[in-house]
Amino acid sequence: LDGIVEGEPGERAGMPPIMIRTRRKTIVPRSLTQADYMRSLVSNDIIFALGPAGTGKTYLAVAAAVEALNRQEVRRILLVRPAVEAGEKLGFLPGDLAQKIDPYLRPLYDALYEMLGFEHVNKLIERQIIEIAPLAYMRGRTLNNAFIILDESQNTTREQMKMFLTRFGQNSRMVIAGDPRQVDIPGGDRMSGLADAVEKLEGIEGFGTIRFTSADVVRHPIVGRIVDAYEGTGE
């Protein structure tokens, strides 16, 4: 994540802005927190990215993974999500397991298509250089030379999070992105593997933690106000 961009949002005094270059676009931080996050993506082995939707947690992680692949710093990208329903039951949805899970993974596909193009992404998936999979498919694996992203991590149990974290292998990087206030598993945030992992691991060497707020939302400005209203911080 190098390069100089004059006057970009997210620049701190005395610190040069950073960028992520992908096949189709160059991405710069749009807030100070995003700038800190982009730096953490190259300075830590495992990064917890916490905060509401629209803050760029997953998008910037995918961009960093694409750049790392282009630079041959890693050999593959793994994008993972727990298949947890937000008010919908998988058993009632049409299709086989793959078809049922696909909608949960769609945001990851969308980010890749925007950065690399539809055909190139599909070729990388066919060659298994990019793998997009539900969390359960990670069990029993050791993930070497990979950039691994767990999205919607607030919907993991403590056991699932431990299983995922211990997949970490040589020459790999891992991003664990989630919104602690949007837990859809039974038991709510008390049972979330994300909250438990941050409590246990924050501050340990090699781990980084970035906390986004509604002020970092980079979608339409009204999204930030919606987040504040639902979190009880709006006026």
Side-chain angles (χ1 to χ4, degrees):
L1 307 181
D2 58 353
I4 302 295
V5 177
E6 295 294 334
E8 291 295 346
E11 180 180 354
R12 289 188 186 277
M15 297 185 69
I18 57 175
M19 65 176 68
I20 300 174
R21 294 186 180 94
T22 68
R23 186 184 181 94
R24 288 195 161 190
K25 63 190 307 183
T26 296
I27 299 161
V28 297
R30 296 176 62 184
S31 73
L32 292 175
T33 309
Q34 282 196 355
D36 289 340
Y37 182 37
M38 291 166 72
R39 293 185 180 98
S40 184
L41 286 167
V42 294
S43 61
N44 291 289
D45 297 319
I46 299 178
I47 302 99
F48 293 106
L50 315 175
T55 52
K57 303 183 303 293
T58 303
Y59 188 85
L60 290 175
V62 171
V66 167
E67 185 181 58
L69 183 67
N70 289 341
R71 291 176 177 269
Q72 299 183 331
E73 296 170 1
V74 297
R75 295 179 184 173
R76 55 184 174 151
I77 298 172
L78 288 95
L79 307 175
V80 184
R81 290 187 88 176
V84 174
E85 313 95 312
E88 226 177 348
K89 297 297 182 184
L90 282 174
F92 294 114
L93 297 176
D96 59 20
L97 179 61
Q99 291 170 322
K100 290 177 180 181
I101 289 172
D102 188 71
Y104 293 88
L105 306 176
R106 184 53 49 187
L108 302 176
Y109 285 102
D110 290 343
L112 286 170
Y113 291 150
E114 184 176 334
M115 295 171 197
L116 293 173
F118 184 85
E119 292 185 2
H120 190 59
V121 168
N122 286 342
K123 287 179 181 177
L124 293 175
I125 291 174
E126 288 175 6
R127 295 166 56 194
Q128 298 185 330
I129 293 173
I130 293 178
E131 180 179 351
I132 305 177
L135 178 60
Y137 286 23
M138 297 298 106
R139 189 172 299 276
R141 301 175 64 178
T142 300
L143 305 174
N144 296 317
N145 303 300
F147 200 118
I148 312 139
I149 300 168
L150 175 61
D151 194 26
E152 299 291 341
S153 63
Q154 75 275 4
N155 288 327
T156 62
T157 64
R158 296 175 184 179
E159 293 76 15
Q160 287 174 325
M161 180 62 77
K162 180 182 177 182
M163 177 275 291
F164 179 76
L165 287 167
T166 53
R167 301 309 92 201
F168 192 81
Q170 297 292 328
N171 192 40
S172 288
R173 276 184 272 170
M174 182 179 281
V175 177
I176 298 162
D179 182 353
R181 300 198 180 193
Q182 294 292 325
V183 179
D184 297 314
I185 59 175
D189 56 3
R190 291 186 304 104
M191 301 303 294
S192 173
L194 174 60
D196 182 64
V198 172
E199 181 180 350
K200 285 181 167 66
L201 301 172
E202 187 172 14
I204 293 178
E205 184 178 356
F207 287 84
T209 304
I210 301 294
R211 289 180 169 86
F212 293 90
T213 70
S214 59
D216 298 301
V217 172
V218 293
R219 294 178 183 170
H220 192 285
I222 200 171
V223 176
R225 295 195 288 273
I226 291 169
V227 171
D228 281 342
Y230 272 87
E231 292 183 354
T233 59
E235 297 182 357

